[in-house]
Amino acid sequence: MLAELLLLAHVVGAAVLFGTGAGIAFFMVMAHRTRDPGLIAHVAGTVVIADTIFTATAAILQPVTGFLLARIIGWDLTESWIALSLLLYVVTGIFWLPVVWIQIRLRNLARAAAVSGTALPSAYFSLYRIWFAFGFPAFFAVLGILWLMLTKPTLF
């Protein structure tokens, strides 16, 4: 029973990480396309909250539930698919943590432009390009983790 509950929590956590990440990316890109500082500030503010509530919580719980699940089922953490999953998890974090900071900066720059009635500054566009580029490795790393969790291949 405990294994099934941990598995459920782990799968829900993975879905939250993937779904929240994809949703945040979609809404940020759509807001950015408007070039409207007020709209971007609002959406980026919501994104920062969603990342804090959903993504950060799931990111903390995933390794905990994964470790406990592996122990209960009897999987060795050095099994190739688990080891690669952990590596990809670290890669995801390396790209996600700066993105959180960038989202806060994008929100703040858009808020300042909206309040002052000016266009978005060049710093906003530079940060947005980095935010956009960092999303791809994180997204594909999470996809890889999901594939590994589902298929559990022997890799090395």
Side-chain angles (χ1 to χ4, degrees):
M1 179 64 151
L2 181 57
E4 288 82 7
L5 290 173
L6 284 169
L7 180 60
L8 176 63
H10 197 66
V11 169
V12 168
V16 167
L17 282 176
F18 185 75
T20 304
I24 282 171
F26 175 78
F27 289 113
M28 282 292 288
V29 168
M30 297 310 290
H32 170 78
R33 291 172 46 113
T34 70
R35 304 292 197 262
D36 177 340
L39 179 63
I40 293 168
H42 176 74
V43 170
T46 302
V47 159
V48 168
I49 292 168
D51 245 353
T52 302
I53 294 171
F54 299 109
T55 312
T57 302
I60 291 166
L61 291 177
Q62 278 307 99
V64 173
T65 58
F67 174 77
L68 294 173
L69 191 58
R71 299 296 278 188
I72 287 173
I73 292 174
W75 289 325
D76 188 337
L77 295 179
T78 61
E79 287 189 42
S80 59
W81 70 272
I82 294 176
L84 184 53
S85 293
L86 292 170
L87 176 65
L88 289 173
Y89 193 77
V90 170
V91 168
T92 301
I94 287 169
F95 285 96
W96 176 69
L97 289 172
V99 161
V100 172
W101 176 82
I102 291 170
Q103 287 170 174
I104 292 167
R105 289 283 300 134
L106 292 173
R107 178 200 63 195
N108 294 347
L109 289 167
R111 279 183 183 167
V115 167
S116 67
T118 59
L120 294 164
S122 61
Y124 168 88
F125 293 99
S126 297
L127 284 170
Y128 177 83
R129 283 190 291 279
I130 296 166
W131 175 87
F132 190 82
F134 275 28
F136 286 97
F139 178 81
F140 287 111
V142 171
L143 271 182
I145 293 167
L146 290 172
W147 179 79
L148 289 165
M149 284 180 11
L150 291 172
T151 62
K152 298 170 188 55
T154 301
L155 302 168
F156 43 87

